[in-house]
Amino acid sequence: MVKRKEAVEVKAVDLAVEGESVEKKMEKELEDLPGVGPATADKLRKAGYDNMEKIATSSAHELEEVADISIETAKKVINAARDALEMGYESADKIYERRKAVGRITTGSDSLNELLGGGVETQSITEAYGRFGSGKTQIGFQLAVNVQKPAGEGGLGGNVLYVDTEGTFRPERIRQIAEGAGMDADEVLRNIHVARAVNSDHQIVLVDKADEVVKEKNVKLVVIDSLTSCFRAEYLGRAALGERQQKLNKHIHALQRLADRHNLAVFVTNQVMDNPGILFGDPTTPIGGHVLAHAATYRIYLRKGKEEKRIARLVDSPNLPESECVFKVTKEGIRD
Ligand code: GTP
Ligand code: MG
């Protein structure tokens, strides 16, 4: 399972490197898959499955549902797409090569950067969870400004897709942070492309259809603030939990694919709840359960300290120790 995922990631980067012509070619080839006529291809594309890679990494039930094809055909289509992409093992040196392309965005705080191994990484999902006012949205704003700085100055010289699900995007605050960074505030705002997601389905579509705008606008950072609020509000009770987690899982994988294909960073915020099962210690638990816990590459838990101070704890990372740091939310933005 894990090995296959790695192989997919490598392929994704190969695609990104080889550029548009290859992707265009693959798009045309959708019809070449067994059982895919022009009508089915059309349905697949409309549902956001517009290239081989998306099909290769989907499940048969998924395609059955969105493209209205039989489960047998769906299986055949997926296998054919996987063959076409030669998805299998890849040597580790190629993966290493891909990792070398990873870029980092400064958070504005050296200690927070250090906690994250040098800043917020591309090809990864970074999740910040914590109570209200803990600084989740502020970090999203700061990253949306900083990613626009040139490489070498803590940015990636790229633009931003910002999905706002809580109605808390504030251009005034972005201006303040941009000015605090000595940047042209008007220019900074022009490079942030904001969508207000009205519900979880809308949120999913915004990500599934993001490829084109990502390429067109040279997007290097995708912010989802928050990842879970729509899902949490819409799927209530235990009976809906399975469906919610399934949808959330797919959504997160779509985000990871976006991050891989375009070598961009994904930053998501998450709400918390009190887990009554935890009798000793901090009962604060992120929403999203195991699905999210295993999907985010870096998870940071934010707590409010005195005044401007915030405490960040790195909770989960593949290659960094669990540790804490202190940073500040100031008028100018995130600082040490
Ligand atoms: P929810 O979205 O409510 O769950 O919280 P959040 O974690 O997203 O909170 P957010 O990141 O929006 O942090 C809000 C906090 O940032 C405020 O309570 C302030 O403490 C701080 N903040 C926002 N703007 C300013 C500012 O201009 N100056 C200073 N010093 N602090 C600010
Ligand atoms: Mg917020």
Side-chain angles (χ1 to χ4, degrees):
M1 209 48 205
V2 170
K3 289 198 177 81
R4 211 193 74 216
K5 184 166 177 280
E6 277 178 359
V8 174
E9 285 172 359
V10 171
K11 199 71 215 175
V13 169
D14 288 350
L15 283 179
V17 172
E18 282 166 37
E20 205 163 0
S21 61
V22 175
E23 285 198 6
K24 279 259 163 66
K25 193 168 138 253
M26 306 210 105
E27 238 169 76
K28 279 197 204 95
E29 285 172 356
L30 224 63
E31 280 88 349
D32 297 340
L33 294 171
V36 179
T40 307
D42 197 43
K43 280 185 203 163
L44 284 168
R45 286 202 185 98
K46 283 212 174 102
Y49 295 81
D50 50 6
N51 62 45
M52 294 278 210
E53 198 216 335
K54 281 187 188 167
I55 293 168
T57 53
S58 64
S59 76
H61 286 293
E62 215 177 305
L63 292 194
E64 181 191 23
E65 205 181 335
V66 300
D68 199 20
I69 51 180
S70 74
I71 191 90
E72 286 75 26
T73 308
K75 279 181 192 161
K76 257 192 251 166
V77 168
I78 291 167
N79 284 334
R82 286 180 184 166
D83 285 345
L85 292 179
E86 293 165 17
M87 276 161 61
Y89 290 101
E90 196 88 17
S91 58
D93 63 325
K94 290 225 176 95
I95 298 169
Y96 180 63
E97 208 50 45
R98 177 183 71 86
R99 291 282 310 159
K100 281 204 288 203
V102 166
R104 288 190 174 79
I105 308 165
T106 178
T107 60
S109 150
D110 287 340
S111 55
L112 187 54
N113 286 347
E114 199 184 318
L115 189 82
L116 290 166
V120 170
E121 248 183 38
T122 64
Q123 300 178 25
S124 288
I125 298 175
T126 302
E127 173 201 348
Y129 70 89
R131 294 186 185 280
F132 65 91
S134 58
K136 307 180 291 290
T137 296
Q138 299 303 313
I139 295 179
F141 287 171
Q142 185 75 57
L143 291 171
V145 171
N146 288 356
V147 70
Q148 300 184 37
K149 293 181 178 183
E153 289 175 32
L156 297 170
N159 297 343
V160 185
L161 283 196
Y162 197 108
V163 178
D164 176 17
T165 74
E166 298 180 337
T168 53
F169 182 80
R170 294 287 176 276
E172 310 86 278
R173 180 64 180 142
I174 298 274
R175 291 191 72 90
Q176 225 176 18
I177 293 172
E179 279 157 14
M183 295 162 80
D184 177 351
D186 293 322
E187 180 73 31
V188 165
L189 285 180
R190 270 197 294 276
N191 293 333
I192 304 176
H193 307 280
V194 186
R196 172 84 164 94
V198 293
N199 56 39
S200 65
D201 283 332
H202 186 205
Q203 183 181 333
I204 287 167
V205 169
L206 284 169
V207 170
D208 286 350
K209 304 215 161 159
D211 282 284
E212 216 155 292
V213 60
V214 162
K215 256 188 274 172
E216 193 182 309
K217 310 277 187 198
N218 183 33
V219 169
K220 283 291 159 199
L221 170 71
V222 175
V223 177
I224 316 275
D225 186 17
S226 87
L227 181 69
T228 47
S229 60
C230 289
F231 290 89
R232 189 187 194 187
E234 290 162 35
Y235 296 90
L236 298 169
R238 280 216 73 84
L241 191 63
E243 195 187 344
R244 182 189 91 175
Q245 291 304 83
Q246 225 175 339
K247 281 208 163 178
L248 190 59
N249 189 34
K250 260 162 67 178
H251 183 46
I252 294 163
H253 280 95
L255 283 168
Q256 181 66 55
R257 285 200 291 269
L258 205 60
D260 291 337
R261 254 201 307 274
H262 305 284
N263 192 22
L264 56 78
V266 174
F267 176 77
V268 304
T269 69
N270 189 11
Q271 299 166 319
V272 295
M273 58 176 187
D274 281 335
N275 182 349
I278 298 176
L279 298 179
F280 301 101
D282 190 347
T284 313
T285 309
I287 307 292
H290 294 300
V291 160
L292 189 48
H294 295 299
T297 324
Y298 298 95
R299 293 199 111 174
I300 50 174
Y301 172 32
L302 300 177
R303 288 184 336 264
K304 226 175 153 164
K306 273 190 188 140
E307 291 156 4
E308 297 183 323
K309 275 192 192 149
R310 298 290 186 281
I311 301 123
R313 162 169 278 271
L314 184 72
V315 179
D316 190 16
S317 141
N319 51 356
L320 296 170
E322 190 163 317
S323 54
E324 274 191 3
C325 80
V326 178
F327 67 94
K328 276 185 185 170
V329 181
T330 72
K331 182 166 167 284
E332 289 77 29
I334 308 290
R335 294 290 184 272
D336 272 312

